[in-house]
Amino acid sequence: SAVISQKPSRDICQRGTSLTIQCQVDSQVTMMFWYRQQPGQSLTLIATANQGSEATYESGFVIDKFPISRPNLTFSTLTVSNMSPEDSSIYLCSVARDGYTFGSGTRLTVV
Amino acid sequence: GIQVEQSPPDLILQEGANSTLRCNFSDSVNNLQWFHQNPWGQLINLFYIPSGTKQNGRLSATTVATERYSLLYISSSQTTDSGVYFCAVEYAGGTSYGKLTFGQGTILTVHP
């Protein structure tokens, strides 16, 4: 299965600022997925990142708030923009290859 | 969309006890996976099991896709088994390739 390196592992940010999360995969994959886990909750899919095309967002998530880049087949970034305390969550990237593999997550706290 | 329900929501065990966690899903799925989330938030793959039975040490899992459920068995539980167990499915319909829908999880606490 794939190996994913995700960073940062955690951050504390001021409201109104933005944070960019990076995921690097050790092999080429067509699609990468971004999830959010709010405190005490399950994981919810934010968007699918495709190389060479715009990301596809799930209901309730918009590009202005969560812009995604996918410059090549091994790398993707998710930006959490204009943050508020409600954005405090764990953000995880994932790939589907011989099962599903997740990055180690980014624990974001907005103060 | 597809619904995924896990039971029980919480489970408290003494070390050495056995347990069964259940995952019901409302529609046909291409894939199903069980995860363990440790206290640091990391998701650990347990089983990729769209159908059939698999075993890995003290853990085993069975998925009966035609009846839309999966079971995770933990035998001789240890304190390190504590954490949240998630079941996640990939819906078989529409454009769902690679997209997982998660259940709400089972919080397992194992006491020494």
Side-chain angles (χ1 to χ4, degrees), chain A residues 35 42-45 94 99-102, chain B residues 2-6 22-36 43-51 63 69-72 84-92 96 98-106:
Chain A
Y35 290 81
S42 185
L43 282 78
T44 301
L45 180 65
S94 172
Y100 303 88
T101 304
F102 281 77
Chain B
I2 191 168
Q3 305 299 313
V4 182
E5 295 183 359
Q6 291 185 241
R22 187 177 180 99
C23 173
N24 292 333
F25 42 96
S26 62
D27 212 325
S28 298
V29 299
N30 290 327
N31 294 302
L32 184 146
Q33 191 148 343
W34 284 95
F35 297 92
H36 176 213
L43 276 176
I44 310 298
N45 293 338
L46 295 178
F47 294 102
Y48 173 66
I49 185 167
S51 64
T63 297
Y69 74 89
S70 183
L71 302 174
L72 177 68
V84 185
Y85 289 80
F86 287 107
C87 165
V89 303
E90 180 190 302
Y91 173 47
S96 300
K99 301 179 181 181
L100 291 176
T101 300
F102 281 76
Q104 288 303 305
T106 293

Short mmCIF file of all heavy atoms in Angstrom, two decimals, chain A residues 35 42-45 94 99-102, chain B residues 2-6 22-36 43-51 63 69-72 84-92 96 98-106:
data_model
loop_
_atom_site.label_atom_id
_atom_site.label_comp_id
_atom_site.label_asym_id
_atom_site.label_seq_id
_atom_site.Cartn_x
_atom_site.Cartn_y
_atom_site.Cartn_z
N TYR A 35 -10.09 14.88 3.97
CA TYR A 35 -11.15 14.68 4.95
C TYR A 35 -10.97 15.65 6.12
O TYR A 35 -9.86 16.08 6.43
CB TYR A 35 -11.11 13.24 5.50
CG TYR A 35 -11.51 12.18 4.51
CD1 TYR A 35 -10.61 11.70 3.56
CD2 TYR A 35 -12.80 11.64 4.51
CE1 TYR A 35 -10.97 10.71 2.65
CE2 TYR A 35 -13.18 10.65 3.61
CZ TYR A 35 -12.25 10.20 2.68
OH TYR A 35 -12.61 9.23 1.78
N SER A 42 -16.90 11.91 13.48
CA SER A 42 -16.32 11.02 12.50
C SER A 42 -15.66 11.84 11.38
O SER A 42 -15.61 13.05 11.44
CB SER A 42 -17.42 10.13 11.93
OG SER A 42 -16.88 9.18 11.05
N LEU A 43 -15.16 11.14 10.38
CA LEU A 43 -14.50 11.82 9.26
C LEU A 43 -15.51 12.13 8.17
O LEU A 43 -16.39 11.30 7.86
CB LEU A 43 -13.41 10.93 8.67
CG LEU A 43 -12.09 10.87 9.44
CD1 LEU A 43 -12.21 9.96 10.64
CD2 LEU A 43 -10.97 10.41 8.52
N THR A 44 -15.35 13.29 7.56
CA THR A 44 -16.21 13.72 6.46
C THR A 44 -15.33 14.12 5.28
O THR A 44 -14.35 14.86 5.45
CB THR A 44 -17.07 14.92 6.88
OG1 THR A 44 -17.86 14.55 8.01
CG2 THR A 44 -17.96 15.38 5.74
N LEU A 45 -15.70 13.66 4.10
CA LEU A 45 -14.94 13.99 2.90
C LEU A 45 -15.16 15.44 2.52
O LEU A 45 -16.31 15.90 2.42
CB LEU A 45 -15.37 13.08 1.75
CG LEU A 45 -14.67 13.28 0.41
CD1 LEU A 45 -13.19 12.93 0.51
CD2 LEU A 45 -15.33 12.44 -0.68
N SER A 94 -5.88 11.24 1.90
CA SER A 94 -6.01 9.80 1.70
C SER A 94 -5.84 9.46 0.23
O SER A 94 -6.11 10.29 -0.64
CB SER A 94 -7.40 9.34 2.16
OG SER A 94 -7.64 8.00 1.81
N GLY A 99 -6.48 -0.81 -1.14
CA GLY A 99 -7.06 -0.38 0.12
C GLY A 99 -6.91 1.12 0.26
O GLY A 99 -6.52 1.82 -0.67
N TYR A 100 -7.19 1.60 1.45
CA TYR A 100 -7.20 3.05 1.67
C TYR A 100 -6.12 3.39 2.69
O TYR A 100 -6.05 2.79 3.76
CB TYR A 100 -8.57 3.49 2.19
CG TYR A 100 -9.68 3.11 1.24
CD1 TYR A 100 -10.30 1.88 1.33
CD2 TYR A 100 -10.07 3.98 0.22
CE1 TYR A 100 -11.29 1.51 0.44
CE2 TYR A 100 -11.06 3.62 -0.66
CZ TYR A 100 -11.66 2.39 -0.55
OH TYR A 100 -12.64 2.03 -1.43
N THR A 101 -5.31 4.36 2.35
CA THR A 101 -4.24 4.80 3.22
C THR A 101 -4.44 6.27 3.55
O THR A 101 -4.76 7.06 2.66
CB THR A 101 -2.87 4.61 2.55
OG1 THR A 101 -2.71 3.24 2.17
CG2 THR A 101 -1.75 4.99 3.50
N PHE A 102 -4.23 6.61 4.81
CA PHE A 102 -4.39 7.98 5.27
C PHE A 102 -3.05 8.55 5.74
O PHE A 102 -2.20 7.81 6.27
CB PHE A 102 -5.39 8.05 6.42
CG PHE A 102 -6.81 7.99 5.97
CD1 PHE A 102 -7.39 6.78 5.59
CD2 PHE A 102 -7.58 9.14 5.90
CE1 PHE A 102 -8.70 6.72 5.15
CE2 PHE A 102 -8.90 9.08 5.46
CZ PHE A 102 -9.46 7.88 5.09
N ILE B 2 -25.29 6.98 1.08
CA ILE B 2 -25.26 5.76 1.85
C ILE B 2 -25.12 6.09 3.34
O ILE B 2 -24.46 7.05 3.72
CB ILE B 2 -24.12 4.84 1.38
CG1 ILE B 2 -24.26 3.46 1.99
CG2 ILE B 2 -22.77 5.47 1.66
CD1 ILE B 2 -23.34 2.43 1.35
N GLN B 3 -25.78 5.29 4.17
CA GLN B 3 -25.71 5.46 5.61
C GLN B 3 -24.88 4.31 6.20
O GLN B 3 -25.01 3.16 5.78
CB GLN B 3 -27.11 5.43 6.23
CG GLN B 3 -28.07 6.44 5.63
CD GLN B 3 -27.59 7.87 5.81
OE1 GLN B 3 -27.19 8.25 6.91
NE2 GLN B 3 -27.64 8.65 4.75
N VAL B 4 -24.05 4.66 7.17
CA VAL B 4 -23.21 3.67 7.85
C VAL B 4 -23.45 3.81 9.34
O VAL B 4 -23.25 4.90 9.90
CB VAL B 4 -21.72 3.88 7.53
CG1 VAL B 4 -20.87 2.81 8.21
CG2 VAL B 4 -21.48 3.87 6.03
N GLU B 5 -23.88 2.74 9.97
CA GLU B 5 -24.16 2.76 11.40
C GLU B 5 -23.29 1.76 12.13
O GLU B 5 -23.25 0.58 11.75
CB GLU B 5 -25.65 2.44 11.64
CG GLU B 5 -26.60 3.47 11.07
CD GLU B 5 -28.04 3.17 11.39
OE1 GLU B 5 -28.30 2.13 12.04
OE2 GLU B 5 -28.91 3.95 10.98
N GLN B 6 -22.66 2.21 13.18
CA GLN B 6 -21.81 1.34 13.97
C GLN B 6 -22.41 1.15 15.36
O GLN B 6 -23.01 2.07 15.93
CB GLN B 6 -20.40 1.91 14.10
CG GLN B 6 -19.63 1.90 12.80
CD GLN B 6 -18.20 2.36 12.99
OE1 GLN B 6 -17.78 3.35 12.42
NE2 GLN B 6 -17.45 1.63 13.82
N ARG B 22 -19.97 -3.95 15.33
CA ARG B 22 -20.80 -4.17 14.15
C ARG B 22 -20.89 -2.90 13.30
O ARG B 22 -20.89 -1.78 13.83
CB ARG B 22 -22.20 -4.60 14.55
CG ARG B 22 -23.08 -5.02 13.37
CD ARG B 22 -24.43 -5.51 13.82
NE ARG B 22 -25.26 -5.89 12.69
CZ ARG B 22 -25.44 -7.15 12.28
NH1 ARG B 22 -24.87 -8.16 12.94
NH2 ARG B 22 -26.20 -7.42 11.23
N CYS B 23 -20.98 -3.11 12.01
CA CYS B 23 -21.12 -2.03 11.04
C CYS B 23 -22.23 -2.42 10.06
O CYS B 23 -22.09 -3.44 9.36
CB CYS B 23 -19.80 -1.80 10.31
SG CYS B 23 -19.87 -0.64 8.93
N ASN B 24 -23.30 -1.64 10.02
CA ASN B 24 -24.39 -1.85 9.06
C ASN B 24 -24.35 -0.75 8.03
O ASN B 24 -24.10 0.42 8.37
CB ASN B 24 -25.75 -1.83 9.76
CG ASN B 24 -25.95 -3.01 10.68
OD1 ASN B 24 -25.38 -4.08 10.49
ND2 ASN B 24 -26.78 -2.82 11.70
N PHE B 25 -24.60 -1.08 6.78
CA PHE B 25 -24.64 -0.06 5.74
C PHE B 25 -25.89 -0.23 4.90
O PHE B 25 -26.42 -1.34 4.76
CB PHE B 25 -23.37 -0.06 4.89
CG PHE B 25 -22.85 -1.42 4.50
CD1 PHE B 25 -23.17 -1.98 3.28
CD2 PHE B 25 -22.02 -2.13 5.37
CE1 PHE B 25 -22.68 -3.22 2.91
CE2 PHE B 25 -21.52 -3.36 5.01
CZ PHE B 25 -21.86 -3.93 3.78
N SER B 26 -26.35 0.89 4.35
CA SER B 26 -27.71 0.95 3.79
C SER B 26 -27.80 0.62 2.31
O SER B 26 -28.91 0.50 1.77
CB SER B 26 -28.29 2.36 4.00
OG SER B 26 -27.50 3.32 3.32
N ASP B 27 -26.64 0.45 1.63
CA ASP B 27 -26.71 0.22 0.20
C ASP B 27 -25.50 -0.62 -0.24
O ASP B 27 -24.63 -0.92 0.58
CB ASP B 27 -26.74 1.56 -0.54
CG ASP B 27 -27.53 1.53 -1.83
OD1 ASP B 27 -27.50 0.48 -2.51
OD2 ASP B 27 -28.17 2.55 -2.17
N SER B 28 -25.45 -0.94 -1.50
CA SER B 28 -24.36 -1.76 -2.01
C SER B 28 -23.04 -1.01 -1.96
O SER B 28 -22.99 0.20 -2.21
CB SER B 28 -24.65 -2.17 -3.46
OG SER B 28 -25.82 -2.94 -3.53
N VAL B 29 -21.99 -1.72 -1.64
CA VAL B 29 -20.67 -1.10 -1.52
C VAL B 29 -19.66 -1.85 -2.38
O VAL B 29 -19.78 -3.06 -2.58
CB VAL B 29 -20.18 -1.03 -0.06
CG1 VAL B 29 -21.14 -0.20 0.78
CG2 VAL B 29 -19.99 -2.42 0.53
N ASN B 30 -18.68 -1.08 -2.87
CA ASN B 30 -17.55 -1.69 -3.57
C ASN B 30 -16.50 -2.18 -2.59
O ASN B 30 -15.86 -3.21 -2.81
CB ASN B 30 -16.90 -0.68 -4.52
CG ASN B 30 -17.78 -0.36 -5.71
OD1 ASN B 30 -18.52 -1.20 -6.20
ND2 ASN B 30 -17.69 0.87 -6.18
N ASN B 31 -16.32 -1.39 -1.55
CA ASN B 31 -15.25 -1.70 -0.60
C ASN B 31 -15.67 -1.33 0.81
O ASN B 31 -16.52 -0.46 1.02
CB ASN B 31 -13.98 -0.93 -0.97
CG ASN B 31 -13.41 -1.40 -2.28
OD1 ASN B 31 -13.10 -2.58 -2.45
ND2 ASN B 31 -13.29 -0.49 -3.24
N LEU B 32 -15.01 -1.96 1.77
CA LEU B 32 -15.24 -1.67 3.18
C LEU B 32 -13.91 -1.81 3.90
O LEU B 32 -13.13 -2.72 3.62
CB LEU B 32 -16.27 -2.64 3.77
CG LEU B 32 -16.70 -2.41 5.22
CD1 LEU B 32 -18.17 -2.80 5.41
CD2 LEU B 32 -15.82 -3.12 6.21
N GLN B 33 -13.65 -0.90 4.81
CA GLN B 33 -12.40 -0.96 5.55
C GLN B 33 -12.66 -0.61 7.02
O GLN B 33 -13.47 0.26 7.33
CB GLN B 33 -11.38 0.03 4.96
CG GLN B 33 -9.98 -0.15 5.51
CD GLN B 33 -8.90 0.20 4.48
OE1 GLN B 33 -9.16 0.27 3.28
NE2 GLN B 33 -7.69 0.42 4.95
N TRP B 34 -11.95 -1.30 7.89
CA TRP B 34 -11.96 -1.02 9.31
C TRP B 34 -10.67 -0.29 9.68
O TRP B 34 -9.58 -0.67 9.24
CB TRP B 34 -12.05 -2.30 10.13
CG TRP B 34 -13.40 -2.92 10.18
CD1 TRP B 34 -13.88 -3.92 9.37
CD2 TRP B 34 -14.47 -2.62 11.08
NE1 TRP B 34 -15.17 -4.25 9.71
CE2 TRP B 34 -15.56 -3.48 10.77
CE3 TRP B 34 -14.62 -1.71 12.13
CZ2 TRP B 34 -16.76 -3.44 11.47
CZ3 TRP B 34 -15.81 -1.68 12.82
CH2 TRP B 34 -16.87 -2.54 12.49
N PHE B 35 -10.83 0.73 10.53
CA PHE B 35 -9.69 1.51 11.01
C PHE B 35 -9.71 1.57 12.54
O PHE B 35 -10.77 1.54 13.16
CB PHE B 35 -9.75 2.95 10.50
CG PHE B 35 -9.67 3.12 9.02
CD1 PHE B 35 -10.84 3.17 8.25
CD2 PHE B 35 -8.46 3.27 8.38
CE1 PHE B 35 -10.78 3.36 6.88
CE2 PHE B 35 -8.39 3.47 7.01
CZ PHE B 35 -9.55 3.49 6.27
N HIS B 36 -8.53 1.75 13.09
CA HIS B 36 -8.38 2.07 14.50
C HIS B 36 -7.73 3.44 14.58
O HIS B 36 -6.66 3.66 13.98
CB HIS B 36 -7.50 1.02 15.20
CG HIS B 36 -7.21 1.34 16.64
ND1 HIS B 36 -6.01 1.00 17.24
CD2 HIS B 36 -7.96 1.95 17.59
CE1 HIS B 36 -6.04 1.39 18.50
NE2 HIS B 36 -7.21 1.97 18.74
N LEU B 43 -4.97 7.28 11.92
CA LEU B 43 -5.82 6.18 11.48
C LEU B 43 -4.95 5.00 11.07
O LEU B 43 -4.12 5.12 10.17
CB LEU B 43 -6.68 6.61 10.30
CG LEU B 43 -7.98 7.34 10.58
CD1 LEU B 43 -8.62 7.75 9.28
CD2 LEU B 43 -8.93 6.51 11.40
N ILE B 44 -5.21 3.89 11.70
CA ILE B 44 -4.46 2.67 11.41
C ILE B 44 -5.36 1.71 10.63
O ILE B 44 -6.47 1.39 11.08
CB ILE B 44 -3.99 1.98 12.70
CG1 ILE B 44 -3.31 2.98 13.63
CG2 ILE B 44 -3.10 0.79 12.38
CD1 ILE B 44 -2.07 3.60 13.08
N ASN B 45 -4.89 1.26 9.48
CA ASN B 45 -5.65 0.27 8.72
C ASN B 45 -5.70 -1.05 9.48
O ASN B 45 -4.67 -1.56 9.90
CB ASN B 45 -5.00 0.01 7.37
CG ASN B 45 -5.06 1.21 6.46
OD1 ASN B 45 -5.90 2.08 6.64
ND2 ASN B 45 -4.18 1.26 5.49
N LEU B 46 -6.89 -1.60 9.63
CA LEU B 46 -7.02 -2.91 10.24
C LEU B 46 -7.32 -3.96 9.17
O LEU B 46 -6.57 -4.91 9.01
CB LEU B 46 -8.13 -2.91 11.29
CG LEU B 46 -7.90 -2.03 12.52
CD1 LEU B 46 -9.10 -2.10 13.45
CD2 LEU B 46 -6.62 -2.42 13.24
N PHE B 47 -8.42 -3.76 8.47
CA PHE B 47 -8.82 -4.72 7.45
C PHE B 47 -9.45 -3.98 6.26
O PHE B 47 -10.27 -3.10 6.44
CB PHE B 47 -9.85 -5.73 7.98
CG PHE B 47 -9.33 -6.64 9.04
CD1 PHE B 47 -9.64 -6.42 10.37
CD2 PHE B 47 -8.54 -7.73 8.69
CE1 PHE B 47 -9.15 -7.26 11.35
CE2 PHE B 47 -8.06 -8.59 9.67
CZ PHE B 47 -8.36 -8.35 11.00
N TYR B 48 -9.03 -4.41 5.09
CA TYR B 48 -9.69 -4.05 3.84
C TYR B 48 -10.51 -5.26 3.46
O TYR B 48 -9.95 -6.28 3.05
CB TYR B 48 -8.64 -3.70 2.79
CG TYR B 48 -9.17 -3.46 1.41
CD1 TYR B 48 -9.98 -2.37 1.13
CD2 TYR B 48 -8.83 -4.31 0.36
CE1 TYR B 48 -10.45 -2.15 -0.15
CE2 TYR B 48 -9.28 -4.09 -0.92
CZ TYR B 48 -10.09 -3.01 -1.17
OH TYR B 48 -10.54 -2.79 -2.45
N ILE B 49 -11.84 -5.19 3.64
CA ILE B 49 -12.62 -6.42 3.59
C ILE B 49 -13.99 -6.18 2.96
O ILE B 49 -15.01 -6.13 3.67
CB ILE B 49 -12.72 -7.06 4.99
CG1 ILE B 49 -13.42 -8.41 4.94
CG2 ILE B 49 -13.30 -6.11 6.03
CD1 ILE B 49 -13.28 -9.24 6.20
N PRO B 50 -14.05 -6.06 1.64
CA PRO B 50 -15.35 -5.89 0.98
C PRO B 50 -16.26 -7.12 1.09
O PRO B 50 -17.48 -6.99 0.98
CB PRO B 50 -14.99 -5.61 -0.48
CG PRO B 50 -13.61 -6.14 -0.64
CD PRO B 50 -12.95 -6.00 0.69
N SER B 51 -15.67 -8.28 1.34
CA SER B 51 -16.47 -9.49 1.56
C SER B 51 -15.58 -10.54 2.20
O SER B 51 -14.34 -10.42 2.19
CB SER B 51 -17.04 -10.02 0.25
OG SER B 51 -16.00 -10.41 -0.62
N THR B 63 -17.27 -9.67 6.54
CA THR B 63 -18.24 -8.83 5.84
C THR B 63 -19.19 -9.72 5.05
O THR B 63 -18.73 -10.58 4.28
CB THR B 63 -17.56 -7.84 4.90
OG1 THR B 63 -16.74 -6.96 5.67
CG2 THR B 63 -18.58 -7.02 4.13
N TYR B 69 -23.64 -5.89 6.17
CA TYR B 69 -23.04 -5.67 7.48
C TYR B 69 -21.63 -6.25 7.51
O TYR B 69 -21.26 -7.11 6.70
CB TYR B 69 -23.90 -6.26 8.61
CG TYR B 69 -23.86 -7.76 8.73
CD1 TYR B 69 -22.90 -8.40 9.51
CD2 TYR B 69 -24.80 -8.56 8.07
CE1 TYR B 69 -22.87 -9.78 9.62
CE2 TYR B 69 -24.78 -9.92 8.18
CZ TYR B 69 -23.82 -10.53 8.95
OH TYR B 69 -23.79 -11.90 9.06
N SER B 70 -20.88 -5.74 8.48
CA SER B 70 -19.54 -6.26 8.74
C SER B 70 -19.34 -6.32 10.25
O SER B 70 -19.91 -5.50 10.99
CB SER B 70 -18.49 -5.35 8.10
OG SER B 70 -17.19 -5.87 8.28
N LEU B 71 -18.54 -7.26 10.68
CA LEU B 71 -18.24 -7.44 12.10
C LEU B 71 -16.74 -7.43 12.31
O LEU B 71 -15.98 -8.01 11.51
CB LEU B 71 -18.81 -8.78 12.60
CG LEU B 71 -20.32 -8.98 12.45
CD1 LEU B 71 -20.69 -10.40 12.85
CD2 LEU B 71 -21.08 -7.98 13.28
N LEU B 72 -16.32 -6.79 13.38
CA LEU B 72 -14.91 -6.79 13.78
C LEU B 72 -14.83 -7.47 15.15
O LEU B 72 -15.50 -7.06 16.09
CB LEU B 72 -14.35 -5.37 13.87
CG LEU B 72 -12.92 -5.23 14.35
CD1 LEU B 72 -11.95 -5.82 13.31
CD2 LEU B 72 -12.57 -3.77 14.63
N VAL B 84 -10.69 4.60 19.04
CA VAL B 84 -11.94 4.62 18.28
C VAL B 84 -11.79 3.72 17.06
O VAL B 84 -10.78 3.80 16.34
CB VAL B 84 -12.30 6.05 17.83
CG1 VAL B 84 -13.67 6.05 17.15
CG2 VAL B 84 -12.30 7.01 19.01
N TYR B 85 -12.79 2.89 16.84
CA TYR B 85 -12.80 1.98 15.69
C TYR B 85 -13.84 2.48 14.69
O TYR B 85 -15.00 2.66 15.03
CB TYR B 85 -13.12 0.56 16.14
CG TYR B 85 -11.98 -0.05 16.90
CD1 TYR B 85 -11.76 0.25 18.24
CD2 TYR B 85 -11.07 -0.90 16.26
CE1 TYR B 85 -10.69 -0.28 18.93
CE2 TYR B 85 -10.00 -1.44 16.95
CZ TYR B 85 -9.81 -1.12 18.28
OH TYR B 85 -8.73 -1.64 18.95
N PHE B 86 -13.37 2.72 13.48
CA PHE B 86 -14.24 3.20 12.42
C PHE B 86 -14.40 2.15 11.33
O PHE B 86 -13.45 1.48 10.95
CB PHE B 86 -13.66 4.46 11.76
CG PHE B 86 -13.76 5.70 12.60
CD1 PHE B 86 -12.62 6.23 13.18
CD2 PHE B 86 -14.97 6.35 12.78
CE1 PHE B 86 -12.69 7.39 13.94
CE2 PHE B 86 -15.05 7.51 13.54
CZ PHE B 86 -13.90 8.02 14.13
N CYS B 87 -15.63 2.07 10.85
CA CYS B 87 -15.94 1.33 9.65
C CYS B 87 -16.19 2.37 8.56
O CYS B 87 -16.84 3.40 8.81
CB CYS B 87 -17.19 0.49 9.89
SG CYS B 87 -17.98 -0.18 8.42
N ALA B 88 -15.67 2.14 7.36
CA ALA B 88 -15.87 3.07 6.25
C ALA B 88 -16.14 2.28 4.99
O ALA B 88 -15.53 1.23 4.76
CB ALA B 88 -14.64 3.97 6.07
N VAL B 89 -17.05 2.80 4.18
CA VAL B 89 -17.44 2.09 2.97
C VAL B 89 -17.32 2.99 1.75
O VAL B 89 -17.43 4.22 1.86
CB VAL B 89 -18.90 1.56 3.06
CG1 VAL B 89 -19.06 0.65 4.27
CG2 VAL B 89 -19.90 2.68 3.08
N GLU B 90 -17.10 2.35 0.62
CA GLU B 90 -17.12 3.05 -0.67
C GLU B 90 -18.41 2.63 -1.36
O GLU B 90 -18.59 1.47 -1.73
CB GLU B 90 -15.91 2.68 -1.52
CG GLU B 90 -15.90 3.37 -2.89
CD GLU B 90 -14.82 2.82 -3.80
OE1 GLU B 90 -13.64 2.85 -3.42
OE2 GLU B 90 -15.18 2.34 -4.90
N TYR B 91 -19.30 3.58 -1.52
CA TYR B 91 -20.60 3.32 -2.13
C TYR B 91 -20.43 2.83 -3.57
O TYR B 91 -19.58 3.34 -4.31
CB TYR B 91 -21.43 4.60 -2.08
CG TYR B 91 -22.74 4.59 -2.82
CD1 TYR B 91 -23.64 3.52 -2.68
CD2 TYR B 91 -23.10 5.66 -3.63
CE1 TYR B 91 -24.85 3.54 -3.35
CE2 TYR B 91 -24.31 5.68 -4.30
CZ TYR B 91 -25.18 4.61 -4.16
OH TYR B 91 -26.38 4.62 -4.82
N ALA B 92 -21.24 1.82 -3.95
CA ALA B 92 -21.11 1.23 -5.28
C ALA B 92 -21.77 2.05 -6.38
O ALA B 92 -21.53 1.80 -7.56
CB ALA B 92 -21.71 -0.18 -5.28
N SER B 96 -18.47 7.38 -6.99
CA SER B 96 -17.95 7.31 -5.63
C SER B 96 -16.60 6.66 -5.52
O SER B 96 -16.14 6.37 -4.41
CB SER B 96 -18.95 6.55 -4.75
OG SER B 96 -20.19 7.21 -4.73
N GLY B 98 -13.21 5.56 -4.66
CA GLY B 98 -12.20 6.06 -3.73
C GLY B 98 -12.74 6.88 -2.58
O GLY B 98 -12.02 7.15 -1.62
N LYS B 99 -14.02 7.28 -2.66
CA LYS B 99 -14.59 8.12 -1.60
C LYS B 99 -15.15 7.23 -0.50
O LYS B 99 -15.94 6.34 -0.77
CB LYS B 99 -15.71 8.98 -2.15
CG LYS B 99 -15.33 9.91 -3.27
CD LYS B 99 -16.55 10.69 -3.75
CE LYS B 99 -16.20 11.60 -4.90
NZ LYS B 99 -17.37 12.38 -5.34
N LEU B 100 -14.77 7.52 0.72
CA LEU B 100 -15.23 6.73 1.85
C LEU B 100 -16.28 7.49 2.65
O LEU B 100 -16.15 8.68 2.90
CB LEU B 100 -14.08 6.36 2.76
CG LEU B 100 -13.05 5.36 2.22
CD1 LEU B 100 -11.93 5.17 3.21
CD2 LEU B 100 -13.74 4.03 1.91
N THR B 101 -17.32 6.74 3.05
CA THR B 101 -18.29 7.24 4.01
C THR B 101 -18.05 6.50 5.32
O THR B 101 -18.06 5.26 5.34
CB THR B 101 -19.73 7.00 3.52
OG1 THR B 101 -19.92 7.68 2.28
CG2 THR B 101 -20.74 7.52 4.54
N PHE B 102 -17.84 7.25 6.37
CA PHE B 102 -17.49 6.68 7.66
C PHE B 102 -18.71 6.55 8.56
O PHE B 102 -19.62 7.38 8.53
CB PHE B 102 -16.46 7.57 8.37
CG PHE B 102 -15.07 7.41 7.88
CD1 PHE B 102 -14.67 7.96 6.68
CD2 PHE B 102 -14.14 6.71 8.63
CE1 PHE B 102 -13.37 7.80 6.21
CE2 PHE B 102 -12.84 6.55 8.18
CZ PHE B 102 -12.45 7.10 6.97
N GLY B 103 -18.69 5.49 9.38
CA GLY B 103 -19.63 5.41 10.48
C GLY B 103 -19.18 6.35 11.59
O GLY B 103 -18.13 6.98 11.51
N GLN B 104 -19.99 6.42 12.63
CA GLN B 104 -19.70 7.33 13.73
C GLN B 104 -18.67 6.77 14.71
O GLN B 104 -18.22 7.48 15.60
CB GLN B 104 -20.98 7.68 14.48
CG GLN B 104 -21.89 8.60 13.70
CD GLN B 104 -21.19 9.89 13.31
OE1 GLN B 104 -20.65 10.61 14.14
NE2 GLN B 104 -21.14 10.19 12.01
N GLY B 105 -18.32 5.52 14.53
CA GLY B 105 -17.26 4.96 15.35
C GLY B 105 -17.74 4.28 16.62
O GLY B 105 -18.84 4.56 17.12
N THR B 106 -16.91 3.39 17.13
CA THR B 106 -17.10 2.77 18.44
C THR B 106 -15.90 3.15 19.30
O THR B 106 -14.75 2.90 18.90
CB THR B 106 -17.19 1.24 18.34
OG1 THR B 106 -18.39 0.86 17.66
CG2 THR B 106 -17.16 0.59 19.73
#
